[in-house]
Amino acid sequence: MATIRDVAKKAGVSVATVSRVLNNKGYAHEDTRKLVNEAIKELNYKPNEVARSLYNKKSRLIGLLLPDIRNPYFPELARGVEDEMQEQGLHLIIGNADEKLEKEIDYIQTFKQNNVIGIISATNQAETKLYENLSFPVVLLDRITNSYPSVYADGLDGGKKAAQEMIRRGSKRIALLKGPIELRTAQDRFKGAVDELCNANVDFQVITSSFSFHDAEKMAKTLFEKFPETDGVIASNDLSAAAILHEALRIGRSIPDDLQIIGYDDIPLSKLLFPPLSTIRQPAYDMGREAAKLLMKIINKKPLVQKNIQMPVTFIERQTTRKVEKND
């Protein structure tokens, strides 16, 4: 891998001159700039972004905080952010907070030390004071507060759609999984489902669950032990739905004949399960790109048409729900 010294030697100039050209600081003759840029191209030299940020007190680095990298939904968000940032000549430092406050604090400190020019956060601490008094902008992704710009999906409509589709397909004793109470996005989808189930006067039970697969496995066993007559499950996310599907098949329940399941997110795994999972799709990749665009507008001090961007959700019909006629 070429170094700045290799570039200097190739161009026949000093390291300091290469640095001035790279950072566009100080005087360098146009012919010298041309020689340096040709050497950079020929050697395929990639500047050390951390070193440049320390020199300039500014960088082309963006911090991205995710709550749990093991959940396949969050890499989809991250890919959208990365693709958009890469097109704009920027790079990501990704932190996995693991749903732990101390790890999130550590990553924010790491971002500061690396002179990031902005943070996109999809963690669970959006309502705390963690992001106050930072010298760079913050955009929330898949999270909502009144304090920061954000990009998120329409949870109320997502919950409503899940309940409507479950009712249309004939489930009478429904288990509704309630996601983390501290996340407004999770509570929005829960409220949307509750409102629809109450309006339809359908019997349902509420079960509190996290978004982790480990907790979902325990919850699935408890669900069928406490409510064996359940004939429909509206899950808080696809990982929970996958755990319920696994447990249901283990105890001999027929899917979807006597038990229907609807997930939430539409992670890539959903279509690979057997049977493939019906779910509510959040446009994770597109949300990531929108969050990146929003952050760049703020960094570049461009006017914001929307500070909070809500994106639509759709029902994806697969084989964990029964077929219905289109006009039903």
Side-chain angles (χ1 to χ4, degrees):
M1 184 180 291
T3 67
I4 192 170
R5 293 183 184 280
D6 297 328
V7 174
K9 185 178 179 180
K10 182 78 176 174
V13 298
S14 68
V15 170
T17 299
V18 176
S19 180
R20 285 198 296 273
V21 173
L22 284 170
N23 295 296
N24 200 27
K25 281 194 172 185
Y27 175 76
H29 192 276
E30 193 58 40
D31 289 344
T32 303
R33 288 181 180 277
K34 186 176 179 182
L35 285 170
V36 171
N37 286 324
E38 285 175 352
I40 288 170
K41 186 174 180 181
E42 189 172 332
L43 295 171
N44 194 28
Y45 170 67
K46 304 295 183 185
N48 184 316
E49 288 295 341
V50 174
R52 290 182 72 186
S53 70
L54 292 172
Y55 177 78
N56 291 317
K57 295 302 179 185
K58 193 175 180 181
S59 72
R60 292 187 297 174
L61 299 172
I62 300 293
L64 173 62
L65 263 173
L66 302 175
D68 185 359
I69 202 71
R70 294 170 300 180
N71 185 331
Y73 173 69
F74 294 111
E76 286 290 299
L77 290 175
R79 184 57 188 264
V81 174
E82 182 189 33
D83 284 356
E84 182 62 32
M85 288 303 183
Q86 210 164 39
E87 288 178 15
Q88 302 202 35
L90 299 167
H91 303 283
L92 291 183
I93 304 176
I94 299 178
N96 173 39
D98 232 6
E99 297 185 353
K100 295 176 181 175
L101 179 60
E102 61 273 17
K103 285 191 71 173
E104 190 163 349
I105 292 170
D106 284 346
Y107 271 117
I108 292 172
Q109 191 62 34
T110 299
F111 294 158
K112 289 166 69 175
Q113 290 169 352
N114 283 280
N115 296 312
V116 300
I117 56 175
I119 286 180
I120 295 174
S121 177
T123 65
N124 300 352
Q125 304 297 330
E127 295 288 356
T128 70
K129 296 183 178 181
L130 279 186
Y131 300 98
E132 289 184 359
N133 303 316
L134 294 176
S135 60
F136 42 78
V138 174
V139 167
L140 301 182
L141 176 55
D142 193 41
R143 301 291 182 261
I144 314 167
T145 72
N146 297 322
S147 306
Y148 301 99
S150 58
V151 177
Y152 57 96
D154 189 345
L156 279 170
D157 189 50
K160 179 179 178 180
K161 278 184 165 65
Q164 286 175 337
E165 296 297 340
M166 190 65 76
I167 294 165
R168 285 180 67 211
R169 287 159 171 76
S171 287
K172 304 295 185 185
R173 296 173 298 280
I174 297 170
L176 175 59
L177 273 55
K178 181 179 183 180
I181 194 166
E182 68 273 15
L183 294 184
R184 183 175 151 188
T185 46
Q187 295 314 301
D188 278 355
R189 67 184 72 163
F190 173 72
K191 184 179 186 307
V194 166
D195 289 348
E196 196 66 27
L197 293 171
C198 288
N199 289 338
N201 198 27
V202 175
D203 181 30
F204 68 97
Q205 303 290 339
V206 174
I207 298 172
T208 302
S209 68
S210 76
F211 281 160
S212 77
F213 185 78
H214 176 70
D215 291 342
E217 287 182 300
K218 297 178 183 176
M219 175 274 302
K221 287 183 170 61
T222 301
L223 188 158
F224 291 115
E225 287 169 1
K226 291 182 68 175
F227 308 109
E229 300 302 313
T230 297
D231 65 357
V233 178
I234 299 173
S236 52
N237 68 357
D238 284 349
L239 287 182
S240 298
I244 289 162
L245 175 60
H246 181 269
E247 179 64 15
L249 293 174
R250 188 188 71 82
I251 63 176
R253 299 295 297 270
S254 176
I255 311 291
D257 292 337
D258 71 341
L259 177 70
Q260 301 188 92
I261 304 169
I262 295 178
Y264 206 102
D265 288 338
D266 194 29
I267 60 176
L269 171 69
S270 300
K271 66 179 73 171
L272 301 178
L273 295 171
F274 184 79
L277 181 67
S278 295
T279 187
I280 302 296
R281 174 182 290 164
Q282 296 197 93
Y285 177 83
D286 293 335
M287 288 163 63
R289 292 200 76 127
E290 283 299 320
K293 290 176 184 176
L294 184 59
L295 181 62
M296 290 312 301
K297 284 181 181 177
I298 298 168
I299 289 170
N300 295 321
K301 296 181 168 51
K302 293 183 178 179
L304 299 182
V305 177
Q306 285 181 282
K307 182 181 174 184
N308 299 294
I309 300 172
Q310 184 184 75
M311 303 188 72
V313 297
T314 50
F315 174 64
I316 304 300
E317 181 180 10
R318 295 197 180 102
Q319 295 175 31
T320 58
T321 49
R322 296 189 283 269
K323 299 290 183 185
V324 292
E325 295 296 329
K326 292 291 183 182
N327 59 356
D328 277 5

